[in-house]
Amino acid sequence: PLTLDRAGDYYAKIFSSLISTLSAHPSALQLNFQYTFNSNYEEFEGLDGLVIIGKLTLDPYHPVIASIKYKVFVDYVSPDGLFDSVRTDFDDAVNLAISYFQKIGLYDIGFIGSYDHITKFAANERNTTLDPRHVAFENYCLKNHITPKDRIWITETFSSDNGYHLTNQVIRSGKLPQALLYASDELALGGYKALQEHKLEIGKDISVIGIDNLSFTNFLNPPLTTVSLNIPLIGTTAAHALLSQIEGRNYPLTIHPPIHLIVRSSCKIPNPF
């Protein structure tokens, strides 16, 4: 049997593509899937494989976990690098966005993001940490002698409401940069509302890039430039990682599925002259 922990709407596409890929494999008839929100280690007893989707930590040396032969973490770091981990390279995502801003002549760049909230398995607690997109942008600032606190604004969650309120704060502070990188498309969605309420024309007065490429981004006005994380491919890759373990691979891998920038009209058009 295989079990899978899943949290939040963000993971729906990952979950769907993972199950579709596993179900289409020739060995699918031999797989017995279980989908659970487990709360203790004992509920994992007797499993052959474990796929955990989401930001969760656990004890890799717990006897029950150690007894599970096939293990894959999806969208988070494998504990002590002992299991497969399939996750986005957010350093690359942030650098893609910054490089495009600079390509069109924008160097006054700000970042609006959120804290990460990591669940500790079987402990009924969540720890707040810096999100990797935040860390990547801070590193960019430090390398370029930019004071991070003047260009980074952080809220509690990646929601559109928080994106709206935080963008309003930035505008009212008088420190709005020429370009804004939002750590998620949801944050950017809220940011659009705040910017437009202040009569700022996105793509002309300010350039905006999001991260995710969620389905609504092409229907915003103007359509949002965004870093596509190829979300379904994360699930497909996780499925193949699991299957390759079943087929005999006995060493852990960390896999970063490819990402790419989708350019739309939320960024200003470069002057051809």
Side-chain angles (χ1 to χ4, degrees):
L2 304 170
T3 190
L4 181 146
D5 264 346
R6 175 179 173 230
D9 292 340
Y10 173 80
Y11 299 105
K13 287 183 180 179
I14 294 177
F15 176 80
S16 176
S17 61
L18 182 141
I19 295 303
S20 295
T21 304
L22 290 176
S23 299
H25 195 268
S27 64
L29 293 177
Q30 302 172 25
L31 301 176
N32 175 22
F33 302 108
Q34 300 175 21
Y35 318 117
T36 64
F37 294 89
N38 292 64
S39 59
N40 61 71
Y41 288 104
E42 286 66 32
E43 293 181 48
F44 286 148
E45 287 183 352
L47 294 179
D48 301 311
L50 175 65
V51 178
I52 295 179
I53 300 179
K55 300 182 185 303
L56 180 146
T57 61
L58 51 68
D59 177 7
Y61 305 103
H62 189 284
V64 172
I65 299 300
S67 71
I68 299 173
K69 190 171 184 180
Y70 314 118
K71 294 172 281 246
V72 182
F73 262 68
V74 184
D75 200 45
Y76 198 58
V77 181
S78 162
D80 290 355
L82 294 174
F83 316 151
D84 283 359
S85 176
V86 180
R87 55 192 174 88
T88 298
D89 184 342
F90 281 117
D91 282 2
D92 193 15
V94 168
N95 289 330
L96 270 177
I98 292 171
S99 294
Y100 184 72
F101 279 141
Q102 294 177 340
K103 179 181 177 181
I104 61 175
L106 298 174
Y107 293 85
D108 180 17
I109 305 166
F111 176 85
I112 288 182
S114 169
Y115 292 107
D116 239 347
H117 303 283
I118 314 301
T119 300
K120 187 174 182 181
F121 184 72
N124 194 30
E125 68 179 64
R126 297 177 77 199
N127 297 317
T128 299
T129 66
L130 297 183
D131 175 73
R133 286 155 283 197
H134 176 175
V135 174
F137 192 86
E138 187 172 82
N139 287 337
Y140 153 77
C141 289
L142 295 173
K143 288 176 183 176
N144 290 275
H145 310 291
I146 300 167
T147 304
K149 68 181 180 64
D150 293 338
R151 286 294 175 266
I152 296 176
W153 297 275
I154 303 299
T155 186
E156 282 300 314
T157 66
F158 292 94
S159 71
S160 55
D161 280 347
N162 282 340
Y164 171 75
H165 292 301
L166 190 52
T167 303
N168 265 320
Q169 290 177 31
V170 176
I171 295 169
R172 290 167 181 156
S173 73
K175 297 180 179 179
L176 186 68
Q178 294 177 308
L180 277 175
L181 170 59
Y182 286 86
S184 75
D185 291 342
E186 286 285 350
L187 286 171
L189 176 62
Y192 261 52
K193 179 175 172 62
L195 293 165
Q196 290 167 344
E197 285 181 353
H198 284 267
K199 310 301 182 186
L200 292 165
E201 187 174 343
I202 297 167
K204 183 177 179 181
D205 300 322
I206 185 167
S207 293
V208 175
I209 296 180
I211 294 176
D212 283 333
N213 191 33
L214 298 180
S215 57
F216 65 78
T217 55
N218 197 36
F219 298 96
L220 294 175
N221 184 23
L224 176 65
T225 299
T226 184
V227 179
S228 172
L229 304 185
N230 287 313
I231 296 171
L233 184 58
I234 296 173
T236 299
T237 303
H240 286 300
L242 178 68
L243 290 167
S244 71
Q245 291 182 52
I246 294 171
E247 292 166 357
R249 176 172 58 83
N250 60 1
Y251 51 87
L253 294 174
T254 296
I255 306 170
H256 300 301
I259 62 177
H260 64 281
L261 184 71
I262 298 177
V263 177
R264 301 190 181 111
S265 49
S266 66
C267 291
K268 76 171 189 177
I269 299 172
N271 188 332
F273 306 104

